[in-house]
Amino acid sequence: MTLSVPSSLPASSHPLAAYGWDEDFAKSFAPHARQGLTPGRITRVDRGRCDLAVPDGPGVRTVSADAALVATGDPVNVMCTGDWAAVDLAEGYVHALLPRRTAFVRSTSSKRSEGQILAANVDHAVIAVSLAVELDLGRVERFLALAWESGAQPLVVLTKADLVPDPVTLAHLVADTETAAPGVQVLPVSAATGEGLDVLSAVLAGGTSVLLGQSGAGKSTLANELLGEEVQTVQAARDVDGKGRHTTTTRNLMLMPWGGVLIDTPGLRGVGLWDAESGVAQTFAEIDRLAADCRFHDCAHTSEPGCAVLAAIADGSLPERRLDSYRKLLRENQRLAARSDARLRAEMRRDWKQRQALGRHMLERKGRPTR
C-alpha cells in the first residue's frame, strides 16, 4: 500500500527534497495536486516510457510510467532526465511536465537543424576533460558555451590528473584551461589517487549536476567515485588517441551519498551549438568587455582603427587563439540560427497550405464554389 504525502508538507520535509524538490516546484505542481496527481522526478527515459522517483510514505520509490500524454514532436520540449512531472500512479501515465528551470540543449547531427535536450533542471554542468590526451581548449569552450546557455553553473574537471605527475606541468594545464574558462572553477581530479574528489563532492552537494564529456574522458569512472559505488561500466580508452567507447548508453539520474543528484550522460562525439549566442558571449566575456572600448560600436575586430580587442592581442593580454575560437563559435551559431529560421518558415508555409486545403475541403462539403 502506498501512503500519500500531504500537499501542504513543507518542501524541505518532502520525501523528494533529496531529489531537488523545493518551494518553487511545489508551487508549479499545486494545480496538479488538486487533480489528485503525484509529483515525480524523471530518472530515466526509454522509448516512450520513463522511470520516476515518487513519494512512498516518508520515503521514495521508483515507478515506471507511460509518457504518451506528454509526447511531442519537438525534440527540445520532449521529456528528459531531470524533468519534474505530474503522474497518475493508478493509471501509470505522466500527465504533465513542470516548467523547467534550466535545460542543456545541443544541436543534432541531422541536416534538419534541430535541438536535442540532454538534461533538465540542472544546477551544475560538470565538463570532464581527460589529461590522458592533448588538451583541446576549443572543445572546452564549446562545452562551456552550451553550459552557460543552459542556465547552469559550469565546472571543468580535468580527469586522470595522476597521468601528469609533474606538478609544474599540471599547474600549466590548469592555468591554460582557466584562460579558456573565465569565471569557471577548474579542478584537476584523479580517481586513481583520490586527488580533488573531496573538493568536487563538496561543490556538487545539495544540487543537481550533469556530467558531460567525450567518450574516454573518464566520466563513468568519475560517476562511480561521486556515487560511492560501481554503477557505471568502465572501459579502457584506446591507447592511440585516448578515445573510449560509449560505456554509458542512457541518461540516468542518481542520488549522491552526501546529498544532491547526478545525471550521467553518454559520451558526446559531436557538440553542436543550439541558440547559444548568450552562452558564447559569457564564455568569451573578456572579449565582450574589451569590445566596449572599441572606437566603432560595430567593430569586427579585424583591422579597424581603435580596436581594443586587437590592441589586447598585440600587447599579449588576449591570446589570439581566443579570438579565433570566439569567431568560429559565433559563425557556427549564426549559421545554425539561419538554418533554423529557414526550417521554421518552411513549416509555417506547409501549415498555411494545409489550412488552405482544409478550408477548400470544408467549402466543397457545403456546396460552395472554390477558386
Side-chain angles (χ1 to χ4, degrees):
M1 177 180 178
T2 301
L3 301 177
S4 61
V5 178
S7 58
S8 58
L9 191 67
S12 59
S13 304
H14 198 279
L16 291 175
Y19 284 83
W21 184 259
D22 58 23
E23 296 292 347
D24 289 336
F25 287 124
K27 290 178 182 177
S28 296
F29 182 75
H32 306 294
R34 290 192 288 269
Q35 298 174 20
L37 301 177
T38 300
R41 190 157 199 195
I42 296 177
T43 60
R44 185 172 179 270
V45 175
D46 185 20
R47 299 179 182 178
R49 296 189 65 84
C50 64
D51 293 340
L52 305 98
V54 299
D56 186 19
V60 174
R61 67 186 177 111
T62 299
V63 300
S64 178
D66 193 303
L69 298 180
V70 294
T72 171
D74 184 351
V76 172
N77 291 316
V78 71
M79 69 170 181
C80 75
T81 303
D83 268 324
W84 285 97
V87 59
D88 185 330
L89 294 179
E91 298 293 334
Y93 278 92
V94 173
H95 277 248
L97 300 177
L98 301 190
R100 290 167 177 161
R101 189 171 294 171
T102 62
F104 193 97
V105 182
R106 68 163 178 173
S107 68
T108 63
S109 57
S110 70
K111 296 180 180 181
R112 298 182 61 188
S113 303
E114 294 178 337
Q116 178 193 23
I117 183 162
L118 300 180
N121 300 309
V122 171
D123 301 302
H124 301 281
V126 183
I127 302 167
V129 181
S130 174
L131 291 179
V133 295
E134 184 178 355
L135 196 59
D136 186 344
L137 296 179
R139 182 169 291 274
V140 172
E141 289 160 344
R142 179 179 291 273
F143 270 106
L144 286 170
L146 290 175
W148 281 124
E149 190 67 36
S150 77
Q153 172 65 45
L155 169 66
V156 179
V157 174
L158 301 178
T159 64
K160 308 180 184 181
D162 55 289
L163 298 181
V164 188
D166 178 26
V168 175
T169 302
L170 181 60
H172 281 307
L173 291 171
V174 172
D176 288 344
T177 307
E178 289 175 338
T179 300
V184 175
Q185 183 175 6
V186 178
L187 184 63
V189 303
S190 169
T193 65
E195 177 187 356
L197 289 174
D198 54 343
V199 177
L200 178 60
S201 299
V203 171
L204 304 184
T208 296
S209 304
V210 62
L211 190 53
L212 305 157
Q214 283 186 292
S215 298
K219 294 192 302 88
S220 295
T221 301
L222 184 59
N224 289 336
E225 293 295 328
L226 292 172
L227 296 166
E229 57 181 320
E230 297 291 323
V231 296
Q232 301 289 22
T233 303
V234 177
Q235 294 182 357
R238 299 191 303 235
D239 292 335
V240 63
D241 55 10
K243 293 181 180 179
R245 300 183 183 93
H246 290 293
T247 55
T248 302
T249 57
T250 59
R251 292 181 283 276
N252 301 288
L253 184 148
M254 298 159 284
L255 279 176
M256 292 186 283
W258 59 88
V261 293
L262 179 70
I263 300 174
D264 195 9
T265 63
L268 302 175
R269 288 194 178 94
V271 191
L273 299 184
W274 176 258
D275 193 17
E277 183 175 351
S278 63
V280 172
Q282 197 155 1
T283 301
F284 299 90
E286 79 278 31
I287 295 179
D288 272 10
R289 286 195 297 269
L290 288 167
D293 294 328
C294 290
R295 181 182 300 178
F296 305 107
H297 74 277
D298 58 348
C299 184
H301 319 309
T302 53
S303 59
E304 297 87 346
C307 175
V309 175
L310 295 180
I313 290 177
D315 66 24
S317 59
L318 176 68
E320 187 170 2
R321 187 205 65 77
R322 284 283 284 170
L323 181 59
D324 291 341
S325 183
Y326 173 68
R327 288 169 173 161
K328 178 182 178 180
L329 292 182
L330 275 184
R331 287 195 301 268
E332 178 183 329
N333 195 66
Q334 290 165 355
R335 284 197 303 269
L336 183 63
R339 288 168 57 189
S340 299
D341 288 344
R343 180 171 62 87
L344 179 60
R345 288 193 297 270
E347 290 176 349
M348 291 176 66
R349 285 196 298 270
R350 185 176 65 249
D351 291 345
W352 178 73
K353 289 181 180 179
Q354 289 175 346
R355 288 195 297 271
Q356 274 193 321
L358 178 60
R360 287 194 296 267
H361 176 68
M362 295 301 294
L363 288 174
E364 289 170 355
R365 289 184 59 186
K366 294 180 179 180
R368 297 180 184 178
T370 59
R371 294 181 180 179

